[in-house]
Amino acid sequence: MAAAATTIEAMGSARLTAARGLMEVFGSGGYSNIVLDHKLEQEDLSPQDRSFCAALFYGVIEQALALDYAIGKYSSIPVKKLSPGVLAALRCGFYQLLHMPSVPPSAAVNETVTITRQLGERRAAGFVNGVLRSFLRAGMAVPEPKDKLTALSVAYSIPAPLIQYWRKSYGQEMTLRILEGSRGPAPIFARVNTCRTTAAELTELLAGQGVQAEEAGVKDALRLTAPGSITRLPAFQEGLFHIQDLSSQLCAAAADPRPGMRVLDVCAAPGGKSFTMAQLMENQGELVCCDLHPHRVKLIEEGAARLGLNILRPMVQDATQYNPERGSFDRVLCDVVCSGYGILRRKPEIRYKPLETLDGIWLVQYNILETSAKYCKEGGRLVYSTCTLNPQENQQVVQRFLDAHGEFRLVEPMTTLVKGELDCDGFFYAVLERKTTK
């Protein structure tokens, strides 16, 4: 009995940690991964409880809109008027009841009431208990909205204005593919370090380390199943692969970096695309990889050292400021800061950003693209990319650049990637070439 009580108490701590993290994400707009990492550092949770906490935390963020809709059907108080603590507790309770079948309903209710008190909402404990038990008595039924747009919004927990924007930009069929790609869990893909091993050799080696790896549909990319702690794998520590989504791997390949070339990655941290390009260059030539922040440049240095890629030249550089001392390059990759609508299953809180908060971001992106173009030599390639699904940040930026710079041309049609045959993140890239004057 004592052991069981200890387990329940620890799981309660996991729920409380998740709820506090949720209050921070939805209250101050913190990044989910940073918030959770910080919260877990403060708590002494077992690996099992840390896993439960993460599943609850990310699950609630991804489903917050849908959870609020369900809560609203059973709460006598409008969701918008609930205090942050009560709302966080109810979201955790409803998520466990709807999406965590391994949690007994009684435990979900009782523990939610407990964390309500622990969050300083002691007077609301009875209210939370009543809402959850009403939901249980109703068979956990959530009536489907009659309006089709609202129904779609609730089904995917995506705000209706964003769905409408995607429909207008991409059409109904592609919008549905985007919505499907917005839900987790996100797959884990490994990029084989071809300077040290092959896909076949790495697959066999990982199998011996308890990880299933299979071809992912992109050359030298493997999909990993049940990897546990990736950084603890001997194959990872030996620098035989790095983690990178298929979309980013395709973008790096589109730059067509070759052995002996001089390549520039203007917004490189944490370094994934630089690592892939260096491997495609067979670790021959020079690859200058820049970032604005010194601590992020350090991440590139550490990754390159682990992978044994000595052609990388990590350095601090503002991508909006041209530095003629850098010289000219055969290939320039310009992977700019963006709204991130292509990676909702990895950073689910992004979906709740109001569209109007993105006004003006394209100006920064355009500035970076124009600055990056100055480094591209005649006959060289300039690749512009984002991990978002927003034409204003993608096609419109590239077209505006082409209209103003007749010295560049598109090498191939602009590419928008969404989940389909490849289970990749949403992504955009355009491959440009500086025309030769001879």
Side-chain angles (χ1 to χ4, degrees):
M1 291 295 292
T6 301
T7 301
I8 292 174
E9 182 180 345
M11 196 66 80
S13 296
R15 291 183 174 93
L16 180 60
T17 300
R20 285 172 172 162
L22 291 167
M23 291 174 67
E24 187 169 334
V25 169
F26 288 103
S28 59
Y31 291 109
S32 59
N33 58 325
I34 296 175
V35 169
L36 183 60
D37 287 347
H38 179 66
K39 294 298 181 185
L40 291 177
E41 286 176 2
Q42 299 175 324
E43 300 293 335
D44 183 21
L45 300 178
S46 69
Q48 180 181 0
D49 293 332
R50 290 171 69 92
S51 178
F52 179 88
C53 177
L56 180 59
F57 174 79
Y58 283 114
V60 168
I61 295 175
E62 181 181 286
Q63 294 293 323
L65 191 153
L67 293 171
D68 289 356
Y69 175 80
I71 292 169
K73 295 299 180 182
Y74 293 90
S75 172
S76 58
I77 301 174
V79 172
K80 291 183 178 180
K81 292 188 177 181
L82 294 173
S83 68
V86 171
L87 181 56
L90 281 172
R91 283 170 169 172
C92 287
F94 270 71
Y95 184 82
Q96 290 169 78
L97 292 172
L98 288 168
H99 301 287
M100 290 183 148
S102 62
V103 177
S106 59
V109 174
N110 293 337
E111 293 303 317
T112 299
V113 172
T114 296
I115 67 169
T116 301
R117 297 190 180 100
Q118 293 172 324
L119 290 171
E121 301 284 358
R122 187 173 295 275
R123 291 184 178 180
F127 167 75
V128 169
N129 181 65
V131 173
L132 291 170
R133 294 200 178 279
S134 294
F135 184 49
L136 281 177
R137 285 195 298 271
M140 297 190 294
V142 182
E144 183 176 334
K146 295 181 180 180
D147 177 71
K148 290 184 178 180
L149 177 60
T150 304
L152 205 59
S153 175
V154 170
Y156 290 95
S157 200
I158 297 286
L162 182 54
I163 295 176
Q164 288 178 307
Y165 180 77
W166 281 336
R167 277 177 169 172
K168 181 179 178 181
S169 302
Y170 300 111
Q172 177 71 1
E173 181 180 348
M174 190 166 176
T175 296
L176 291 175
R177 289 172 61 193
I178 293 172
L179 292 173
E180 282 297 321
S182 71
R183 300 194 284 197
I188 300 175
F189 295 106
R191 177 71 191 183
V192 180
N193 184 357
T194 51
C195 295
R196 288 186 168 177
T197 188
T198 66
E201 291 173 348
L202 181 58
T203 299
E204 184 177 354
L205 185 62
L206 286 172
Q209 297 173 11
V211 178
Q212 179 183 347
E214 58 184 9
E215 293 183 1
V218 172
K219 182 176 172 56
D220 296 319
L222 299 174
R223 182 167 184 158
L224 306 186
T225 303
S229 176
I230 293 174
T231 57
R232 293 182 180 179
L233 291 173
F236 180 86
Q237 295 174 351
E238 293 165 12
L240 302 184
F241 70 93
H242 67 276
I243 298 301
Q244 185 178 40
D245 188 72
L246 297 182
S247 57
S248 293
Q249 296 188 40
L250 290 169
C251 175
D256 191 30
R258 301 177 187 179
M261 282 186 169
R262 192 161 192 261
V263 178
L264 172 65
D265 188 347
V266 301
C267 301
K273 296 180 185 68
S274 289
F275 302 152
T276 299
M277 290 193 294
Q279 292 158 9
L280 293 171
M281 296 165 68
E282 300 175 10
N283 204 26
Q284 300 174 40
E286 182 184 21
L287 204 164
V288 177
C289 33
C290 306
D291 196 86
L292 179 61
H293 304 289
H295 72 279
R296 288 175 61 79
V297 171
K298 186 173 178 60
L299 294 177
I300 303 173
E301 294 172 345
E302 293 171 347
R306 181 180 62 82
L307 295 163
L309 302 171
N310 55 30
I311 67 168
L312 270 70
R313 303 288 181 267
M315 57 186 65
V316 176
Q317 173 71 43
D318 184 345
T320 65
Q321 302 297 316
Y322 176 61
N323 186 346
E325 294 181 1
R326 298 280 176 256
S328 60
F329 295 82
D330 301 287
R331 302 288 187 263
V332 179
L333 175 59
C334 180
D335 186 53
V336 299
V337 60
C338 67
S339 58
Y341 284 136
I343 54 173
L344 297 186
R345 59 185 177 180
R346 300 186 189 276
K347 295 184 177 180
E349 69 276 12
I350 291 174
R351 69 188 65 209
Y352 306 116
K353 285 183 180 179
L355 286 172
E356 55 268 22
T357 63
L358 303 177
D359 292 344
I361 191 172
W362 69 268
L363 287 169
V364 177
Q365 296 164 333
Y366 185 79
N367 188 6
I368 294 175
L369 179 57
E370 274 208 319
T371 303
S372 301
K374 297 175 182 178
Y375 297 106
C376 187
K377 64 173 56 174
E378 288 191 2
R381 282 193 174 190
L382 169 64
V383 177
Y384 173 86
S385 65
T386 75
C387 60
T388 195
L389 298 168
N390 180 359
Q392 187 182 51
E393 300 176 63
N394 296 340
Q395 290 90 341
Q396 292 177 27
V397 168
V398 174
Q399 191 57 57
R400 185 175 284 109
F401 174 82
L402 289 172
D403 290 343
H405 296 274
E407 69 274 23
F408 281 89
R409 69 177 184 87
L410 272 174
V411 174
E412 56 191 48
M414 301 184 209
T415 299
T416 299
L417 298 170
V418 297
K419 182 178 179 180
E421 291 184 13
L422 294 177
D423 191 7
C424 64
D425 290 342
F427 204 85
F428 170 86
Y429 64 84
V431 183
L432 312 177
E433 180 182 84
R434 183 185 284 275
K435 301 174 185 177
T436 57
T437 55
K438 296 180 181 178

